[in-house]
Each structure stands twice: as structure tokens, then as C-alpha cells.
Amino acid sequence: MTRAVEQVQDAAAVRVRFAPGIRSTIAAEVARLGATRALILSTPGQSAMAAEIAAALGAATAGVFSKAAMHTPVAVTDEALDYLHACAADCLVAIGGGSTTGLGKALACRTDLPQIVIPTTYAGSEATPILGQTEDGVKTTLRDPKVLPEVILYDPELVATLPIALTVTSGLNAMAHAAEALYASNRTAASDELAVQGLAAFVTGLPQLLRDPADLRAREDTLRGAWACGTVLGQVEMGLHHKLCHTLGGSFDLPHAETHAIILPHAITYNSRSAARLLAPICDLLGGSNAGLALYTFARSLGAPLALRDLGLEESDLDRAALLATARPYPNPHPVTAPDIRALLQMAWAGGAPVV
Ligand code: NAD
């Protein structure tokens, strides 16, 4: 089968490009936005990637800010905003995972500057108009069209450096968006199709990447999956799974992708009590008759973390986590009660298979 070297997709206002080495077009993309002074964003760990982009942009680099942090702390955004004003940036280039994308979105929310995102994980934030921010130990989420990036450059060479453990957890994070999209009350035929497309990309791609993390074909296919999963996340409402992960991330500072990987089988098993038919595409892809158990078996086969206690969560934190995650109602196919969620968290904390 022949494959186009590169495809360009202009969906709504978003320009999406996939190709190995596509990051080298950054100067043309900045110019295309009519911008001349880009602020480049990264985490400390990816400052070398940011430096490469700065070098490619040359005089169009206004500055580099490499302090992006997990869960988009407002204090970091405030510091970056001061820097943005000081260097008179007129566009944002975020190179990194969801943390860096989150910082870019937080700055766009405050300034309405255009954004180019070069994702290096599968989190999918680049494809949504959603911004999650953390302040005083609480993570809140908003939706705003200003927050949706204008351009996404998916470069498989960049995810090829993602350590295999993070490849697996980040892929499961993406799958979680698609899994919850399947039972969203505002789902559509198009969102269902995109969700299944995203899930299939990871069901095929993650085992391939376990065998060969540098397989650029599998990296590109999984990036396409990340785009599909991120896009459905932006289109439909999320339920219990995302609520639990936001609570554990925002209030207990647990790492994002690992938390998603651990919670997903438990949340989907819980919701399969009311939404088994809607979750059937997961069984079709993975085998088995319960979507949550199928996800647990898949995650375990990939060597994913299975227990919240291994992320440093104390058993004594579970009561508060259950209360926080059930404090306000949200859409979910199966009724949510504090005792049921406390029991779910106990299982996820211990790491055994979810009880159907
Ligand atoms: P991350 O961006 O924090 O990255 C995790 C770690 O991996 C970081 O240290 C980073 O420097 C490193 N890393 C990233 N890419 C790498 C690569 N290619 N090679 C080597 N190291 C690499 O983690 P994440 O899971 O991508 O994103 C999590 C954040 O994204 C959370 O704050 C979450 O809330 C947010 N998020 C938001 C949305 C949304 O729509 N708003 C969607 C998904 C995730």
C-alpha cells in the first residue's frame, strides 16, 4: 500500500499536518499566521526540543519559556504571561505533551494569541477547546474557542523519543477519551466513528511500539489516533473516568497519564453496568465480553501501571478522593454514589482486576 508523505487537513479553524520531520516547517507556519515573534513553550525536560524550534525560527523567536508543569498551575501561567508581555510575543508555539499544550492554551485564553502545537505525547489536548487549570489544589476546567489551537504539527519523529512506559500510559490516556465518548449522552454517529477509529489505532499501535518504539509508521498511526481521541474529547461530554482523574491529578498531584491508565478499566467496568451495549466496540477490538475487563487485560499485557498505591496515593486519601469526585453531579451513564466510588477507588488503589 502506498502512503502519502504528508496530508494536510483543514477541519473547521484548525490546520492539522502529519509527517515525519514536519516540525521543520515551523517558520512557514508562523509566517502563515501573520506572526513575527513566537514565544516557544516547553517543560524543563524538553528544553532541547524548544531550542531546536527556536533555532529554526531564528529572528522570529521572541523568547523561550521552559517551565510548563503538569495540570497547568496558575502560578506558572502568571509567570509565563509576564514573560510573554516582556518579549512582546505575537504567537505561541508549544512543543511537548499536554502540560506544555495546557500552558499555551492558558496563555491564549488570556491574550487570544494564535497557537501552533507540536505534540510529543498522545494526550490529545491540542485538539480540544478545553483548558484545565489548577489553583489552591483544585483543578477546574473551562471551554472557550480561544483556547483551541490554530495549527497542529504531528511529527512522528518527536514521539519516537517518548519512553515506552509513557508511550503506553499516554496511549491509554487517549483511549480513555474515546471510551467515554462512546456513552456520552450528546454523542453523534460521527463522534462514535471517530472514537472507534482512535481506539483501533492504539489497540493495533501500542503492541507494535512495544516491539519497536522507533517504528515511525506506528508512531504516525498512533498520533492519528491521538488526534481522533482528542477531537472526540472536544466534541462530547466526559463522565466518571475523567472526573476521577481530574480529582486525583488536581487534588493529589498524581501524574496524569499513569492515573488515566489505572482508572480506565475500573471506570469502564463500573459504567458497563448501564452502558454495555454502547461499549461493545471496545470488546469488538480487544475481545472479551466486558469492556472494562478487556481494557484491564490490554493494559496489563502492555506492562501499564495497575495500582494507584504505586503512584504514591495513600489508602487514607481514598475517602477524601471519593467525596471530592462525587461532590457535584455530572453526566454519567451509571448512577454515581460516594460509597460506590469509594469501592471503585479501593480496587484501583490495590491494582487487581475490576469486579464486574
Ligand atoms: P506531560 O506533558 O506532563 O509530559 C509528561 C513528561 O514527559 C514531561 O516531563 C515531558 O517533558 C515528558 N515528555 C513529553 N514528551 C516527551 C517525548 N517525546 N520524549 C521524552 N519525554 C517527553 O504529560 P501529558 O500526559 O502529555 O499531559 C498531561 C497534561 O495534559 C495534564 O495536565 C492534563 O490535564 C492535560 N490534558 C488536557 C487536555 C485538554 O483537552 N485540556 C487533554 C489531555 C490532557
PDB file of all heavy atoms in Angstrom, residues 43 45-46 49 70-72 96-100 105 120-121 123-125 128 130-132 139 158-159 161-163 166 170 173 177 233 256-257, ligand 1:
ATOM      1  N   THR A  43       8.328  21.967  28.619  1.00  0.00           N
ATOM      2  CA  THR A  43       8.656  21.614  30.007  1.00  0.00           C
ATOM      3  C   THR A  43      10.181  21.726  30.157  1.00  0.00           C
ATOM      4  O   THR A  43      10.896  21.790  29.154  1.00  0.00           O
ATOM      5  CB  THR A  43       8.250  20.164  30.327  1.00  0.00           C
ATOM      6  OG1 THR A  43       8.922  19.297  29.394  1.00  0.00           O
ATOM      7  CG2 THR A  43       6.759  19.951  30.245  1.00  0.00           C
ATOM      8  N   GLY A  45      12.149  19.371  30.905  1.00  0.00           N
ATOM      9  CA  GLY A  45      12.721  18.159  30.306  1.00  0.00           C
ATOM     10  C   GLY A  45      12.812  18.222  28.791  1.00  0.00           C
ATOM     11  O   GLY A  45      13.551  17.456  28.181  1.00  0.00           O
ATOM     12  N   GLN A  46      12.051  19.103  28.178  1.00  0.00           N
ATOM     13  CA  GLN A  46      12.056  19.169  26.712  1.00  0.00           C
ATOM     14  C   GLN A  46      12.619  20.489  26.197  1.00  0.00           C
ATOM     15  O   GLN A  46      12.301  20.919  25.079  1.00  0.00           O
ATOM     16  CB  GLN A  46      10.637  18.926  26.197  1.00  0.00           C
ATOM     17  CG  GLN A  46      10.247  17.469  26.397  1.00  0.00           C
ATOM     18  CD  GLN A  46       8.835  17.203  25.982  1.00  0.00           C
ATOM     19  OE1 GLN A  46       7.897  17.506  26.702  1.00  0.00           O
ATOM     20  NE2 GLN A  46       8.679  16.647  24.803  1.00  0.00           N
ATOM     21  N   MET A  49      14.241  20.340  22.774  1.00  0.00           N
ATOM     22  CA  MET A  49      13.312  20.399  21.633  1.00  0.00           C
ATOM     23  C   MET A  49      12.914  21.856  21.379  1.00  0.00           C
ATOM     24  O   MET A  49      12.807  22.305  20.235  1.00  0.00           O
ATOM     25  CB  MET A  49      12.048  19.580  21.919  1.00  0.00           C
ATOM     26  CG  MET A  49      12.224  18.069  21.811  1.00  0.00           C
ATOM     27  SD  MET A  49      10.611  17.271  22.068  1.00  0.00           S
ATOM     28  CE  MET A  49      11.061  15.541  22.009  1.00  0.00           C
ATOM     29  N   MET A  70       2.833  19.972  34.945  1.00  0.00           N
ATOM     30  CA  MET A  70       1.620  19.137  34.925  1.00  0.00           C
ATOM     31  C   MET A  70       0.433  19.872  35.570  1.00  0.00           C
ATOM     32  O   MET A  70       0.595  20.543  36.590  1.00  0.00           O
ATOM     33  CB  MET A  70       1.936  17.850  35.694  1.00  0.00           C
ATOM     34  CG  MET A  70       0.912  16.769  35.618  1.00  0.00           C
ATOM     35  SD  MET A  70       0.991  15.807  34.100  1.00  0.00           S
ATOM     36  CE  MET A  70       2.308  14.663  34.398  1.00  0.00           C
ATOM     37  N   HIS A  71      -0.734  19.716  34.984  1.00  0.00           N
ATOM     38  CA  HIS A  71      -2.009  20.243  35.492  1.00  0.00           C
ATOM     39  C   HIS A  71      -2.117  21.770  35.430  1.00  0.00           C
ATOM     40  O   HIS A  71      -2.952  22.376  36.093  1.00  0.00           O
ATOM     41  CB  HIS A  71      -2.307  19.724  36.912  1.00  0.00           C
ATOM     42  CG  HIS A  71      -2.224  18.228  37.020  1.00  0.00           C
ATOM     43  ND1 HIS A  71      -2.939  17.384  36.198  1.00  0.00           N
ATOM     44  CD2 HIS A  71      -1.475  17.426  37.818  1.00  0.00           C
ATOM     45  CE1 HIS A  71      -2.642  16.130  36.498  1.00  0.00           C
ATOM     46  NE2 HIS A  71      -1.747  16.124  37.467  1.00  0.00           N
ATOM     47  N   THR A  72      -1.252  22.400  34.647  1.00  0.00           N
ATOM     48  CA  THR A  72      -1.336  23.842  34.366  1.00  0.00           C
ATOM     49  C   THR A  72      -1.559  24.694  35.628  1.00  0.00           C
ATOM     50  O   THR A  72      -2.615  25.334  35.787  1.00  0.00           O
ATOM     51  CB  THR A  72      -2.460  24.122  33.319  1.00  0.00           C
ATOM     52  OG1 THR A  72      -2.458  23.084  32.348  1.00  0.00           O
ATOM     53  CG2 THR A  72      -2.236  25.448  32.611  1.00  0.00           C
ATOM     54  N   GLY A  96       5.548  19.839  23.106  1.00  0.00           N
ATOM     55  CA  GLY A  96       5.549  18.968  24.279  1.00  0.00           C
ATOM     56  C   GLY A  96       4.256  18.203  24.417  1.00  0.00           C
ATOM     57  O   GLY A  96       3.462  18.107  23.480  1.00  0.00           O
ATOM     58  N   GLY A  97       4.040  17.681  25.611  1.00  0.00           N
ATOM     59  CA  GLY A  97       2.820  16.936  25.904  1.00  0.00           C
ATOM     60  C   GLY A  97       1.718  17.867  26.373  1.00  0.00           C
ATOM     61  O   GLY A  97       1.773  19.090  26.173  1.00  0.00           O
ATOM     62  N   GLY A  98       0.729  17.276  27.034  1.00  0.00           N
ATOM     63  CA  GLY A  98      -0.434  18.037  27.462  1.00  0.00           C
ATOM     64  C   GLY A  98      -0.098  19.168  28.425  1.00  0.00           C
ATOM     65  O   GLY A  98      -0.806  20.182  28.462  1.00  0.00           O
ATOM     66  N   SER A  99       0.983  19.039  29.187  1.00  0.00           N
ATOM     67  CA  SER A  99       1.335  20.106  30.136  1.00  0.00           C
ATOM     68  C   SER A  99       1.744  21.365  29.389  1.00  0.00           C
ATOM     69  O   SER A  99       1.334  22.477  29.744  1.00  0.00           O
ATOM     70  CB  SER A  99       2.475  19.652  31.053  1.00  0.00           C
ATOM     71  OG  SER A  99       2.056  18.540  31.807  1.00  0.00           O
ATOM     72  N   THR A 100       2.549  21.186  28.360  1.00  0.00           N
ATOM     73  CA  THR A 100       3.004  22.343  27.584  1.00  0.00           C
ATOM     74  C   THR A 100       1.849  22.919  26.769  1.00  0.00           C
ATOM     75  O   THR A 100       1.662  24.139  26.706  1.00  0.00           O
ATOM     76  CB  THR A 100       4.160  21.915  26.661  1.00  0.00           C
ATOM     77  OG1 THR A 100       5.153  21.283  27.468  1.00  0.00           O
ATOM     78  CG2 THR A 100       4.769  23.102  25.961  1.00  0.00           C
ATOM     79  N   LYS A 105      -2.464  27.021  25.979  1.00  0.00           N
ATOM     80  CA  LYS A 105      -3.890  27.320  25.968  1.00  0.00           C
ATOM     81  C   LYS A 105      -4.242  28.349  27.051  1.00  0.00           C
ATOM     82  O   LYS A 105      -5.074  29.242  26.830  1.00  0.00           O
ATOM     83  CB  LYS A 105      -4.689  26.031  26.191  1.00  0.00           C
ATOM     84  CG  LYS A 105      -4.637  25.075  25.004  1.00  0.00           C
ATOM     85  CD  LYS A 105      -5.143  23.696  25.408  1.00  0.00           C
ATOM     86  CE  LYS A 105      -6.335  23.257  24.612  1.00  0.00           C
ATOM     87  NZ  LYS A 105      -6.809  21.917  24.998  1.00  0.00           N
ATOM     88  N   THR A 120       4.100  15.969  21.594  1.00  0.00           N
ATOM     89  CA  THR A 120       5.115  14.921  21.752  1.00  0.00           C
ATOM     90  C   THR A 120       4.608  13.775  22.621  1.00  0.00           C
ATOM     91  O   THR A 120       5.380  12.902  23.007  1.00  0.00           O
ATOM     92  CB  THR A 120       6.413  15.493  22.355  1.00  0.00           C
ATOM     93  OG1 THR A 120       6.135  15.941  23.679  1.00  0.00           O
ATOM     94  CG2 THR A 120       6.958  16.644  21.526  1.00  0.00           C
ATOM     95  N   THR A 121       3.329  13.800  22.969  1.00  0.00           N
ATOM     96  CA  THR A 121       2.686  12.665  23.645  1.00  0.00           C
ATOM     97  C   THR A 121       1.339  12.441  22.953  1.00  0.00           C
ATOM     98  O   THR A 121       1.007  13.132  21.989  1.00  0.00           O
ATOM     99  CB  THR A 121       2.423  12.926  25.153  1.00  0.00           C
ATOM    100  OG1 THR A 121       1.365  13.901  25.276  1.00  0.00           O
ATOM    101  CG2 THR A 121       3.659  13.408  25.889  1.00  0.00           C
ATOM    102  N   ALA A 123      -1.641  12.767  24.576  1.00  0.00           N
ATOM    103  CA  ALA A 123      -2.690  13.275  25.469  1.00  0.00           C
ATOM    104  C   ALA A 123      -3.894  13.844  24.717  1.00  0.00           C
ATOM    105  O   ALA A 123      -5.021  13.754  25.182  1.00  0.00           O
ATOM    106  CB  ALA A 123      -2.108  14.327  26.409  1.00  0.00           C
ATOM    107  N   GLY A 124      -3.660  14.487  23.569  1.00  0.00           N
ATOM    108  CA  GLY A 124      -4.775  14.943  22.734  1.00  0.00           C
ATOM    109  C   GLY A 124      -5.293  16.337  23.047  1.00  0.00           C
ATOM    110  O   GLY A 124      -6.231  16.813  22.398  1.00  0.00           O
ATOM    111  N   SER A 125      -4.680  17.022  23.998  1.00  0.00           N
ATOM    112  CA  SER A 125      -5.175  18.346  24.400  1.00  0.00           C
ATOM    113  C   SER A 125      -5.192  19.333  23.236  1.00  0.00           C
ATOM    114  O   SER A 125      -6.052  20.216  23.168  1.00  0.00           O
ATOM    115  CB  SER A 125      -4.286  18.874  25.529  1.00  0.00           C
ATOM    116  OG  SER A 125      -4.636  20.174  25.877  1.00  0.00           O
ATOM    117  N   THR A 128      -8.562  20.051  21.428  1.00  0.00           N
ATOM    118  CA  THR A 128      -9.778  20.428  22.170  1.00  0.00           C
ATOM    119  C   THR A 128      -9.803  21.916  22.520  1.00  0.00           C
ATOM    120  O   THR A 128      -8.750  22.527  22.691  1.00  0.00           O
ATOM    121  CB  THR A 128      -9.923  19.651  23.502  1.00  0.00           C
ATOM    122  OG1 THR A 128      -9.112  20.278  24.513  1.00  0.00           O
ATOM    123  CG2 THR A 128      -9.522  18.199  23.371  1.00  0.00           C
ATOM    124  N   ILE A 130     -10.688  22.846  25.342  1.00  0.00           N
ATOM    125  CA  ILE A 130     -10.827  22.701  26.802  1.00  0.00           C
ATOM    126  C   ILE A 130      -9.516  23.086  27.476  1.00  0.00           C
ATOM    127  O   ILE A 130      -8.439  22.704  27.019  1.00  0.00           O
ATOM    128  CB  ILE A 130     -11.159  21.235  27.163  1.00  0.00           C
ATOM    129  CG1 ILE A 130     -12.426  20.771  26.439  1.00  0.00           C
ATOM    130  CG2 ILE A 130     -11.302  21.065  28.671  1.00  0.00           C
ATOM    131  CD1 ILE A 130     -12.636  19.265  26.486  1.00  0.00           C
ATOM    132  N   LEU A 131      -9.623  23.819  28.575  1.00  0.00           N
ATOM    133  CA  LEU A 131      -8.445  24.169  29.369  1.00  0.00           C
ATOM    134  C   LEU A 131      -8.696  23.750  30.819  1.00  0.00           C
ATOM    135  O   LEU A 131      -9.684  24.165  31.421  1.00  0.00           O
ATOM    136  CB  LEU A 131      -8.203  25.686  29.300  1.00  0.00           C
ATOM    137  CG  LEU A 131      -7.184  26.255  30.288  1.00  0.00           C
ATOM    138  CD1 LEU A 131      -5.791  25.663  30.052  1.00  0.00           C
ATOM    139  CD2 LEU A 131      -7.135  27.781  30.190  1.00  0.00           C
ATOM    140  N   GLY A 132      -7.802  22.916  31.340  1.00  0.00           N
ATOM    141  CA  GLY A 132      -7.850  22.560  32.765  1.00  0.00           C
ATOM    142  C   GLY A 132      -6.746  23.332  33.467  1.00  0.00           C
ATOM    143  O   GLY A 132      -5.622  23.402  32.967  1.00  0.00           O
ATOM    144  N   LYS A 139      -8.507  21.470  40.568  1.00  0.00           N
ATOM    145  CA  LYS A 139      -8.417  21.588  39.111  1.00  0.00           C
ATOM    146  C   LYS A 139      -9.791  21.938  38.559  1.00  0.00           C
ATOM    147  O   LYS A 139     -10.777  21.253  38.816  1.00  0.00           O
ATOM    148  CB  LYS A 139      -7.937  20.259  38.520  1.00  0.00           C
ATOM    149  CG  LYS A 139      -7.617  20.337  37.038  1.00  0.00           C
ATOM    150  CD  LYS A 139      -6.775  19.141  36.624  1.00  0.00           C
ATOM    151  CE  LYS A 139      -6.385  19.235  35.163  1.00  0.00           C
ATOM    152  NZ  LYS A 139      -5.461  18.174  34.776  1.00  0.00           N
ATOM    153  N   LEU A 158       9.166  13.005  16.811  1.00  0.00           N
ATOM    154  CA  LEU A 158       9.221  13.521  18.185  1.00  0.00           C
ATOM    155  C   LEU A 158       8.659  12.525  19.197  1.00  0.00           C
ATOM    156  O   LEU A 158       9.209  12.367  20.281  1.00  0.00           O
ATOM    157  CB  LEU A 158       8.468  14.857  18.277  1.00  0.00           C
ATOM    158  CG  LEU A 158       9.100  16.007  17.489  1.00  0.00           C
ATOM    159  CD1 LEU A 158       8.245  17.261  17.619  1.00  0.00           C
ATOM    160  CD2 LEU A 158      10.517  16.283  17.971  1.00  0.00           C
ATOM    161  N   VAL A 159       7.560  11.848  18.852  1.00  0.00           N
ATOM    162  CA  VAL A 159       7.030  10.853  19.810  1.00  0.00           C
ATOM    163  C   VAL A 159       7.907   9.610  19.867  1.00  0.00           C
ATOM    164  O   VAL A 159       7.805   8.831  20.815  1.00  0.00           O
ATOM    165  CB  VAL A 159       5.581  10.391  19.540  1.00  0.00           C
ATOM    166  CG1 VAL A 159       4.588  11.113  20.394  1.00  0.00           C
ATOM    167  CG2 VAL A 159       5.207  10.392  18.109  1.00  0.00           C
ATOM    168  N   THR A 161      10.797   9.457  20.676  1.00  0.00           N
ATOM    169  CA  THR A 161      11.677   9.537  21.854  1.00  0.00           C
ATOM    170  C   THR A 161      10.901   9.342  23.158  1.00  0.00           C
ATOM    171  O   THR A 161      11.491   9.363  24.241  1.00  0.00           O
ATOM    172  CB  THR A 161      12.376  10.908  21.941  1.00  0.00           C
ATOM    173  OG1 THR A 161      11.379  11.919  22.171  1.00  0.00           O
ATOM    174  CG2 THR A 161      13.144  11.218  20.674  1.00  0.00           C
ATOM    175  N   LEU A 162       9.600   9.197  23.039  1.00  0.00           N
ATOM    176  CA  LEU A 162       8.790   9.032  24.256  1.00  0.00           C
ATOM    177  C   LEU A 162       9.126   7.676  24.895  1.00  0.00           C
ATOM    178  O   LEU A 162       9.006   6.647  24.219  1.00  0.00           O
ATOM    179  CB  LEU A 162       7.311   9.086  23.852  1.00  0.00           C
ATOM    180  CG  LEU A 162       6.257   9.307  24.917  1.00  0.00           C
ATOM    181  CD1 LEU A 162       6.445  10.628  25.642  1.00  0.00           C
ATOM    182  CD2 LEU A 162       4.863   9.257  24.271  1.00  0.00           C
ATOM    183  N   PRO A 163       9.564   7.661  26.148  1.00  0.00           N
ATOM    184  CA  PRO A 163       9.893   6.371  26.772  1.00  0.00           C
ATOM    185  C   PRO A 163       8.707   5.412  26.675  1.00  0.00           C
ATOM    186  O   PRO A 163       7.550   5.844  26.687  1.00  0.00           O
ATOM    187  CB  PRO A 163      10.175   6.751  28.230  1.00  0.00           C
ATOM    188  CG  PRO A 163      10.483   8.211  28.205  1.00  0.00           C
ATOM    189  CD  PRO A 163       9.720   8.792  27.053  1.00  0.00           C
ATOM    190  N   LEU A 166       5.809   5.707  29.145  1.00  0.00           N
ATOM    191  CA  LEU A 166       4.927   6.856  28.900  1.00  0.00           C
ATOM    192  C   LEU A 166       4.161   6.687  27.591  1.00  0.00           C
ATOM    193  O   LEU A 166       3.020   7.161  27.465  1.00  0.00           O
ATOM    194  CB  LEU A 166       5.748   8.155  28.908  1.00  0.00           C
ATOM    195  CG  LEU A 166       4.983   9.485  28.923  1.00  0.00           C
ATOM    196  CD1 LEU A 166       3.912   9.520  30.000  1.00  0.00           C
ATOM    197  CD2 LEU A 166       5.957  10.650  29.120  1.00  0.00           C
ATOM    198  N   SER A 170       0.314   7.109  28.026  1.00  0.00           N
ATOM    199  CA  SER A 170      -0.243   8.219  27.250  1.00  0.00           C
ATOM    200  C   SER A 170      -1.238   7.684  26.219  1.00  0.00           C
ATOM    201  O   SER A 170      -2.283   8.300  25.969  1.00  0.00           O
ATOM    202  CB  SER A 170       0.906   8.979  26.575  1.00  0.00           C
ATOM    203  OG  SER A 170       0.450  10.180  26.027  1.00  0.00           O
ATOM    204  N   ASN A 173      -4.339   6.976  28.016  1.00  0.00           N
ATOM    205  CA  ASN A 173      -4.982   8.266  28.294  1.00  0.00           C
ATOM    206  C   ASN A 173      -5.837   8.684  27.093  1.00  0.00           C
ATOM    207  O   ASN A 173      -7.004   9.077  27.226  1.00  0.00           O
ATOM    208  CB  ASN A 173      -3.882   9.293  28.583  1.00  0.00           C
ATOM    209  CG  ASN A 173      -4.378  10.719  28.807  1.00  0.00           C
ATOM    210  OD1 ASN A 173      -3.598  11.662  28.761  1.00  0.00           O
ATOM    211  ND2 ASN A 173      -5.654  10.901  29.044  1.00  0.00           N
ATOM    212  N   HIS A 177     -10.388   8.984  26.401  1.00  0.00           N
ATOM    213  CA  HIS A 177     -11.285   9.994  25.809  1.00  0.00           C
ATOM    214  C   HIS A 177     -12.303   9.298  24.901  1.00  0.00           C
ATOM    215  O   HIS A 177     -13.498   9.586  24.932  1.00  0.00           O
ATOM    216  CB  HIS A 177     -10.505  11.011  24.968  1.00  0.00           C
ATOM    217  CG  HIS A 177      -9.318  11.632  25.633  1.00  0.00           C
ATOM    218  ND1 HIS A 177      -9.281  11.883  26.989  1.00  0.00           N
ATOM    219  CD2 HIS A 177      -8.123  12.069  25.125  1.00  0.00           C
ATOM    220  CE1 HIS A 177      -8.100  12.446  27.279  1.00  0.00           C
ATOM    221  NE2 HIS A 177      -7.393  12.556  26.177  1.00  0.00           N
ATOM    222  N   LEU A 233     -12.914  14.079  22.432  1.00  0.00           N
ATOM    223  CA  LEU A 233     -12.924  14.688  23.775  1.00  0.00           C
ATOM    224  C   LEU A 233     -13.483  16.108  23.705  1.00  0.00           C
ATOM    225  O   LEU A 233     -14.239  16.546  24.583  1.00  0.00           O
ATOM    226  CB  LEU A 233     -11.492  14.689  24.329  1.00  0.00           C
ATOM    227  CG  LEU A 233     -11.202  15.517  25.580  1.00  0.00           C
ATOM    228  CD1 LEU A 233     -11.945  14.976  26.788  1.00  0.00           C
ATOM    229  CD2 LEU A 233      -9.695  15.532  25.880  1.00  0.00           C
ATOM    230  N   HIS A 256      -0.647  12.493  35.329  1.00  0.00           N
ATOM    231  CA  HIS A 256      -1.856  12.438  34.502  1.00  0.00           C
ATOM    232  C   HIS A 256      -2.029  11.109  33.747  1.00  0.00           C
ATOM    233  O   HIS A 256      -3.033  10.415  33.915  1.00  0.00           O
ATOM    234  CB  HIS A 256      -1.801  13.607  33.514  1.00  0.00           C
ATOM    235  CG  HIS A 256      -2.959  13.698  32.607  1.00  0.00           C
ATOM    236  ND1 HIS A 256      -4.162  14.254  32.981  1.00  0.00           N
ATOM    237  CD2 HIS A 256      -3.129  13.284  31.328  1.00  0.00           C
ATOM    238  CE1 HIS A 256      -5.005  14.197  31.974  1.00  0.00           C
ATOM    239  NE2 HIS A 256      -4.398  13.610  30.953  1.00  0.00           N
ATOM    240  N   ALA A 257      -1.055  10.777  32.894  1.00  0.00           N
ATOM    241  CA  ALA A 257      -1.240   9.626  32.013  1.00  0.00           C
ATOM    242  C   ALA A 257      -1.321   8.323  32.816  1.00  0.00           C
ATOM    243  O   ALA A 257      -2.170   7.454  32.537  1.00  0.00           O
ATOM    244  CB  ALA A 257      -0.100   9.554  30.997  1.00  0.00           C
TER     245      ALA A 257
HETATM  246  P1  NAD B   1       3.252  15.952  30.122  1.00  0.00           P
HETATM  247  O1  NAD B   1       3.026  16.938  29.057  1.00  0.00           O
HETATM  248  O2  NAD B   1       3.370  16.448  31.522  1.00  0.00           O
HETATM  249  O3  NAD B   1       4.538  15.077  29.780  1.00  0.00           O
HETATM  250  C1  NAD B   1       4.988  14.127  30.730  1.00  0.00           C
HETATM  251  C2  NAD B   1       6.507  14.137  30.818  1.00  0.00           C
HETATM  252  O4  NAD B   1       7.021  13.570  29.624  1.00  0.00           O
HETATM  253  C3  NAD B   1       7.106  15.542  30.905  1.00  0.00           C
HETATM  254  O5  NAD B   1       8.185  15.509  31.799  1.00  0.00           O
HETATM  255  C4  NAD B   1       7.579  15.822  29.499  1.00  0.00           C
HETATM  256  O6  NAD B   1       8.679  16.696  29.474  1.00  0.00           O
HETATM  257  C5  NAD B   1       7.965  14.422  29.020  1.00  0.00           C
HETATM  258  N1  NAD B   1       7.838  14.215  27.584  1.00  0.00           N
HETATM  259  C6  NAD B   1       6.813  14.608  26.797  1.00  0.00           C
HETATM  260  N2  NAD B   1       7.020  14.215  25.540  1.00  0.00           N
HETATM  261  C7  NAD B   1       8.201  13.565  25.518  1.00  0.00           C
HETATM  262  C8  NAD B   1       8.960  12.919  24.482  1.00  0.00           C
HETATM  263  N3  NAD B   1       8.515  12.835  23.235  1.00  0.00           N
HETATM  264  N4  NAD B   1      10.133  12.358  24.828  1.00  0.00           N
HETATM  265  C9  NAD B   1      10.577  12.394  26.092  1.00  0.00           C
HETATM  266  N5  NAD B   1       9.907  12.985  27.112  1.00  0.00           N
HETATM  267  C10 NAD B   1       8.728  13.553  26.822  1.00  0.00           C
HETATM  268  O7  NAD B   1       2.105  14.818  30.150  1.00  0.00           O
HETATM  269  P2  NAD B   1       0.822  14.520  29.236  1.00  0.00           P
HETATM  270  O8  NAD B   1       0.282  13.259  29.777  1.00  0.00           O
HETATM  271  O9  NAD B   1       1.120  14.630  27.808  1.00  0.00           O
HETATM  272  O10 NAD B   1      -0.177  15.714  29.565  1.00  0.00           O
HETATM  273  C11 NAD B   1      -0.796  15.820  30.815  1.00  0.00           C
HETATM  274  C12 NAD B   1      -1.474  17.179  30.959  1.00  0.00           C
HETATM  275  O11 NAD B   1      -2.304  17.435  29.836  1.00  0.00           O
HETATM  276  C13 NAD B   1      -2.397  17.249  32.172  1.00  0.00           C
HETATM  277  O12 NAD B   1      -2.227  18.486  32.817  1.00  0.00           O
HETATM  278  C14 NAD B   1      -3.775  17.121  31.580  1.00  0.00           C
HETATM  279  O13 NAD B   1      -4.772  17.693  32.372  1.00  0.00           O
HETATM  280  C15 NAD B   1      -3.606  17.813  30.266  1.00  0.00           C
HETATM  281  N6  NAD B   1      -4.591  17.403  29.247  1.00  0.00           N
HETATM  282  C16 NAD B   1      -5.513  18.321  28.847  1.00  0.00           C
HETATM  283  C17 NAD B   1      -6.447  18.008  27.897  1.00  0.00           C
HETATM  284  C18 NAD B   1      -7.431  19.051  27.434  1.00  0.00           C
HETATM  285  O14 NAD B   1      -8.173  18.838  26.485  1.00  0.00           O
HETATM  286  N7  NAD B   1      -7.465  20.191  28.070  1.00  0.00           N
HETATM  287  C19 NAD B   1      -6.449  16.725  27.307  1.00  0.00           C
HETATM  288  C20 NAD B   1      -5.496  15.796  27.728  1.00  0.00           C
HETATM  289  C21 NAD B   1      -4.557  16.150  28.702  1.00  0.00           C
END
